[in-house]
Amino acid sequence: MFRTALRNVLAHRARLLMTVLAVLLGVAFVSGTLVFTDTVSAAYEKSSAKGFDDVDVSLTPVWKDGEERAGLTPELLGRVARTDGVASAVGSVGGFTALADKKGDPVGDGWQVRGANYWGADDPRYPLTEGHAPEGDNQVALDAATAERTGYRVGDTIRLSVDGPVLTPTVSGVFTTDDGAVAAGGSLTLFDTATAQRLFGSAGGYDEIIVAADPGVGQSALTAALREALPKDTVEMTTGAELAADQAAATASSMDSLKQTLLVAAGLSLFVGTFLIANTFSMLVAQRTKELALMRAVGASRRQVTRSVLIEAFVVGAIASVTGLRAGIGIGAGLRALMDSFGANFPDGPLVVGGGTVGAALAVGVLVTVLAAWLPGRRAAKIPPVAAMNSVHAVPTTRSLVVRNTIGSLLTAAGVAVVLAATTMDDATGAQAPMGLGAGLVVVGVFVLTPLLSRPLIAAAAPVLRVFGVSGKLARQNAVRNPRRTAATASALMIGLTLITGMTVAAIGVQQAIGRMASDSIRADYVVSMPGGGALSSDVEEKLAGVDGVTASSPMRNAYSTVDGRDEYLTGVTGSAFGKLTDLPVTDGAFTIGGARVVVDEDTAGQHGWRAGSTFTTVYEDDARQKLTVAGVYQPNEMFRGILLDVATLAPHQEEPGDMQVLVKTADGASGAAKDSLEKALGDSPAVAVQDKQDISEGIAGMVTMMLNILYGLLAMAVIVAVLGVVNTLAMSVFERSQEIGMLRAVGLDRAGVKRMVRLESLVISLFGAVLGIGLGVFFGWAAGELVGSRLATYELVLPWGRIAVFLALAAVVGVLAALWPARRAARLDMLSAIKAE
């Protein structure tokens, strides 16, 4: 039986090629993902570990709940430096620092752009390659990668900003660093220590003290000595080895989401490929029914027959897995190069192909293939030899179809019920799991019901197919001749389009909801903020308010407080102007802010039992207490929520005020000239974004479009596998119908008619899968939107008819392309040889 199975594999090489390709693609995607993420993680870990070579112990301030982080004092730094076993102690301070290139555009991306202090004249952390250490307010040093990207050299004047106002220092030096953020495309700008302390608000203190040990002193011994020398509970101590391990864990964690996303896409490809494999083996087994029956008649047992099919599947899976692993290594290297070309700038390091990657690739490919082939093999072994020889088994029994349709109906109904129940849950996060379960049940249920659904849906295409005459009629009949095979072929495409359509519907709804929220709730013409999410300097609002044409402006300043023993964040605004800058629906009282009068969102008011006229006592971050009165209750959204009070009331209780945003309204509305005036007032700062409502909407649209494009790219592999499934099904169907095609040719159907018949059959099957997939995708997109709507009040279901039409058109193209080779093969059959074929 083993030799027979191997001969069957060799005898059906062409028929199994598509199956090998399907498994190969899935395995290549899985192994490529693992190689890529392992390689990048190892490179970051190596880079991070190297960055901590000069750190034996790190000291940071103790963080206590409800207290501001206190800086480390120069006195403490002196005590550390005098401790036995300490070779050197360096004080470090830093924060967000935006740098502009020579064209005035920001360098780096958001949180990856930082500034810090250069210690003394020769900081061991940052070896200088050119120039000298920065001295005074008007000098900085740049990392070598940023200097190369921007073209800055020693002596050049640059433009940068920490919290809004623009600085124009001179580049005094260029240094190298192993900082992971710089390796990822960010920038690092170094000031002298006094300047850094002033810019980053440390008031002469430090964020961290980095300690190097004397030769022969271990990190644990040094930590023990520091604990003895320093006051207890004043600092947290972490060894360099622990920092490197923590950094490695953080890197691995940050790669997890990317790895999981890529693996999900690979899993979908394999899942879709499972349909192709099962379909292929079902057809192969059906074509060899008489052969298997003869084997049973001469003494082979059911187990031997099943085993022979599984051996074939094992050989196919092993070949595909080994080939897919090799292709995956290439994909991993290609992904890294591709990401680098997009500006990811991963650290250098060798390609990592771990044993886990090899084992996963081989196990996944072989297991998927063997499991997919098990049911066809088992079904073939159960057919009685005499019945198989007479093809009595060919028509499924009515009872089996009733059982299948009943199970499919129950699964679909249960899945729909679970999804609908999840949409009514108040907790959107808690509803995700049941909604995922319900969606899975619906997909499985519809797949089970697909043979039943194929007849009426394909029959609906009959009027169109009649236009093509006999070829159209035969194509429709061929498409519904074997509903199970049609279902398995269409389901592969259905799954891919379900995911694509569902994500598109939900994402576009969110995009438009946020855009609508910005236009509905903001009367201001401009929103000014830091791209990195940092706080603006308190004088930014003052500068903007003084610009000609500005009629109203208000900061949005966050502050920590305690109300009734519960942490609450306050937002300080200009009470007299805020109502002119926003349009927040008031459900109780009046939108009046000033003095001790505040407005509160509905959620916060409900939690505390407040209404208009209620009073409460807040404890500010400086421990001062004040009684406030609720003047009104408003409807919150993603941009405005919480307790709004006058910034004049809040400011006396803040030691270091900073504004998260500034809203600005101009006399003539948003215009290019007004925007230029605002940016000029801030010195064209690279750290500040001046956005009108259109900019905000376009930014959101750009992020959504980028996300969808990435997901489309990941799901393209599943669609490619689905195309292979259609090609394979048609090719093997043509082989099965060779005699029939020969008869059609003999009675007058020309080669063009045969090609047209096969192409129309493929087109009908593809569009059938597309209609099911788009229908399910719209349903799931609606359900996901219901969860989003519980948090985003402006969310409404938006059906992207244009994109849906594109998906249908792509499905049609898939059907036509998939039929090219099978149609050509069918048309080239010799009619006399085909008629004599068995």
Side-chain angles (χ1 to χ4, degrees):
M1 294 300 295
F2 180 74
R3 289 195 298 271
T4 301
L6 291 181
R7 279 199 298 270
N8 281 326
V9 171
L10 296 175
H12 303 121
R13 290 190 298 269
R15 302 184 207 173
L16 292 172
L17 176 61
M18 296 299 177
T19 302
V20 171
L21 283 175
V23 181
L24 184 153
L25 287 173
V27 171
F29 208 167
V30 170
S31 55
T33 295
L34 294 174
V35 168
F36 169 68
T37 52
D38 288 347
T39 297
V40 174
S41 295
Y44 271 120
E45 289 175 14
K46 181 180 178 181
S47 175
S48 299
K50 187 177 180 182
F52 293 114
D53 284 348
D54 297 324
V55 180
D56 287 308
V57 179
S58 168
L59 279 63
T60 54
V62 172
W63 181 278
K64 293 183 180 179
D65 292 339
E67 294 184 4
E68 288 291 317
R69 184 188 292 269
L72 302 173
T73 63
E75 291 77 15
L76 183 67
L77 175 62
R79 294 183 64 171
V80 171
R82 293 190 296 271
T83 301
D84 291 340
V86 172
S88 65
V90 173
S92 177
V93 60
F96 173 82
T97 301
L99 172 68
D101 61 19
K102 291 185 176 182
K103 297 179 181 179
D105 298 325
V107 176
D109 183 20
W111 58 270
Q112 294 178 327
V113 292
R114 294 185 64 255
N117 67 309
Y118 191 93
W119 186 257
D122 187 16
D123 194 325
R125 301 171 298 171
Y126 309 114
L128 288 167
T129 58
E130 297 179 51
H132 59 83
E135 300 173 357
D137 295 351
N138 203 37
Q139 290 186 357
V140 297
L142 293 181
D143 68 88
T146 299
E148 182 177 356
R149 287 197 301 270
T150 59
Y152 285 131
R153 296 290 181 265
V154 173
D156 288 349
T157 299
I158 63 174
R159 297 175 61 254
L160 57 84
S161 176
V162 171
D163 57 0
V166 175
L167 306 176
T168 55
T170 301
V171 178
S172 67
V174 176
F175 61 91
T176 59
T177 178
D178 295 311
D179 191 311
V182 173
S187 65
L188 180 60
T189 307
L190 300 182
F191 308 84
D192 72 359
T193 299
T195 302
Q197 288 173 329
R198 177 177 57 80
L199 291 175
F200 301 121
S202 294
Y206 308 100
D207 299 332
E208 181 184 17
I209 295 176
I210 298 170
V211 185
D214 284 328
V217 179
Q219 294 183 352
S220 298
L222 181 60
T223 301
L226 290 170
R227 292 192 188 280
E228 289 292 329
L230 302 180
K232 293 182 179 180
D233 301 327
T234 57
V235 294
E236 294 181 5
M237 300 184 190
T238 310
T239 65
E242 291 171 339
L243 287 173
D246 291 343
Q247 185 70 30
T251 300
S253 177
S254 66
M255 295 297 295
D256 279 347
S257 58
L258 176 61
K259 180 187 290 188
Q260 290 170 5
T261 301
L262 293 173
L263 286 177
V264 166
L268 287 171
S269 300
L270 283 173
F271 183 62
V272 172
T274 302
F275 292 102
L276 191 161
I277 298 166
N279 216 13
T280 300
F281 275 94
S282 294
M283 297 171 73
L284 287 175
V285 168
Q287 293 170 10
R288 292 165 41 207
T289 299
K290 290 185 179 181
E291 173 192 327
L292 295 175
L294 182 60
M295 293 173 62
R296 289 287 311 281
V298 298
S301 65
R302 288 184 176 181
R303 288 186 177 180
Q304 285 178 310
V305 171
T306 304
R307 196 179 301 130
S308 69
V309 176
L310 294 180
I311 290 172
E312 292 181 46
F314 177 84
V315 173
V316 171
I319 294 172
S321 297
V322 172
T323 312
L325 175 61
R326 297 183 64 180
I329 295 172
I331 288 175
L335 276 175
R336 179 175 176 179
L338 180 65
M339 297 294 281
D340 281 340
S341 69
F342 287 157
N345 296 315
F346 295 123
D348 293 331
L351 201 66
V352 178
V353 183
T357 300
V358 176
L362 295 177
V364 166
V366 172
L367 282 176
V368 166
T369 309
V370 171
L371 289 175
W374 175 77
L375 187 59
R378 183 172 177 271
R379 187 184 300 127
K382 292 176 67 176
I383 301 172
V386 176
M389 289 179 182
N390 290 283
S391 298
V392 176
H393 68 290
V395 180
T397 64
T398 303
R399 180 175 178 275
S400 67
L401 292 176
V402 170
V403 171
R404 177 176 181 138
N405 294 337
T406 302
I407 293 174
S409 300
L410 292 174
L411 288 173
T412 304
V416 170
V418 173
V419 170
L420 293 177
T423 60
T424 63
M425 297 175 66
D426 294 332
D427 182 6
T429 303
Q432 293 175 2
M435 181 167 288
L437 173 63
L441 289 174
V442 171
V443 170
V444 174
V446 170
F447 168 68
V448 175
L449 285 175
T450 306
L452 177 65
L453 298 173
S454 64
R455 291 186 180 276
L457 289 179
I458 292 177
V464 178
L465 293 175
R466 288 196 192 101
V467 175
F468 299 94
V470 174
S471 296
K473 182 178 180 180
L474 290 172
R476 182 181 65 81
Q477 292 175 346
N478 289 333
V480 297
R481 176 184 296 183
N482 191 331
R484 292 184 177 182
R485 182 184 301 170
T486 298
T489 306
S491 295
L493 193 58
M494 176 192 79
I495 292 171
L497 284 177
T498 295
L499 294 169
I500 290 173
T501 305
M503 290 185 301
T504 301
V505 170
I508 290 181
V510 170
Q511 172 187 322
Q512 295 199 10
I514 297 178
R516 190 180 303 112
M517 178 182 65
S519 60
D520 291 350
S521 62
I522 299 179
R523 291 178 179 171
D525 296 312
Y526 294 98
V527 177
V528 180
S529 61
M530 299 270 281
L536 294 163
S537 172
S538 56
D539 64 352
V540 168
E541 193 270 337
E542 297 176 6
K543 291 181 179 180
L544 294 173
V547 175
D548 290 340
V550 171
T551 58
S553 64
S554 171
M556 292 185 63
R557 181 178 301 176
N558 291 344
Y560 170 84
S561 73
T562 303
V563 179
D564 297 335
R566 179 183 298 177
D567 293 342
E568 294 285 358
Y569 277 91
L570 308 175
T571 300
V573 300
T574 301
S576 60
F578 202 67
K580 304 174 186 177
L581 299 166
T582 59
D583 187 11
L584 299 174
V586 177
T587 58
D588 185 22
F591 199 88
T592 303
I593 302 174
R597 298 176 66 81
V598 302
V599 294
V600 184
D601 72 282
E602 289 179 326
D603 296 337
T604 304
Q607 292 171 2
H608 291 276
W610 296 336
R611 54 178 302 175
S614 299
T615 60
F616 63 92
T617 300
T618 184
V619 181
Y620 295 108
E621 56 190 51
D622 63 351
D623 293 330
R625 305 170 69 88
Q626 183 176 7
K627 180 175 287 189
L628 301 175
T629 301
V630 177
V633 179
Y634 66 93
Q635 291 181 1
N637 56 45
E638 292 300 308
M639 300 186 69
F640 304 103
R641 61 177 58 248
I643 302 173
L644 305 179
L645 77 164
D646 196 282
V647 69
T649 304
L650 176 64
H653 306 287
Q654 290 186 292
E655 184 177 347
E656 298 175 3
D659 302 330
M660 302 308 297
Q661 293 178 328
V662 176
L663 306 182
V664 180
K665 188 172 183 62
T666 59
D668 299 325
S671 66
K675 185 175 183 178
D676 289 343
S677 297
L678 297 177
E679 290 177 340
K680 186 176 180 179
L682 299 175
D684 293 321
S685 171
V688 179
V690 180
Q691 296 178 298
D692 60 20
K693 287 185 273 192
Q694 183 66 27
D695 293 331
I696 295 172
S697 297
E698 288 178 355
I700 295 166
M703 289 187 291
V704 172
T705 300
M706 180 179 67
M707 178 194 71
L708 283 176
N709 288 339
I710 291 172
L711 293 173
Y712 290 162
L714 294 176
L715 290 173
M717 187 70 73
V719 175
I720 292 173
V721 174
V723 172
L724 292 176
V726 177
V727 174
N728 211 23
T729 298
L730 289 173
M732 300 184 75
S733 179
V734 166
F735 177 83
E736 285 183 349
R737 299 185 339 237
S738 296
Q739 190 177 54
E740 174 188 320
I741 293 172
M743 290 295 296
L744 290 172
R745 291 288 314 283
V747 297
L749 188 64
D750 60 10
R751 288 186 173 181
V754 172
K755 286 183 179 180
R756 192 180 305 116
M757 176 186 70
V758 177
R759 288 170 184 163
L760 290 174
E761 180 183 350
S762 175
L763 181 64
V764 167
I765 292 174
S766 296
L767 288 177
F768 169 55
V771 169
L772 288 180
I774 291 172
L776 287 176
V778 170
F779 173 66
F780 294 145
W782 165 82
E786 290 296 299
L787 292 185
V788 173
S790 64
R791 293 186 172 184
L792 199 59
T794 53
Y795 179 86
E796 291 181 2
L797 177 66
V798 178
L799 292 181
W801 294 110
R803 297 202 185 195
I804 289 176
V806 170
F807 297 157
L808 281 173
L810 288 176
V813 172
V814 164
V816 172
L817 293 178
L820 291 178
W821 177 58
R824 184 169 178 269
R825 181 182 178 187
R828 295 181 65 184
L829 285 175
D830 180 82
M831 68 178 72
L832 294 179
S833 300
I835 290 172
K836 292 188 295 182
E838 295 187 4

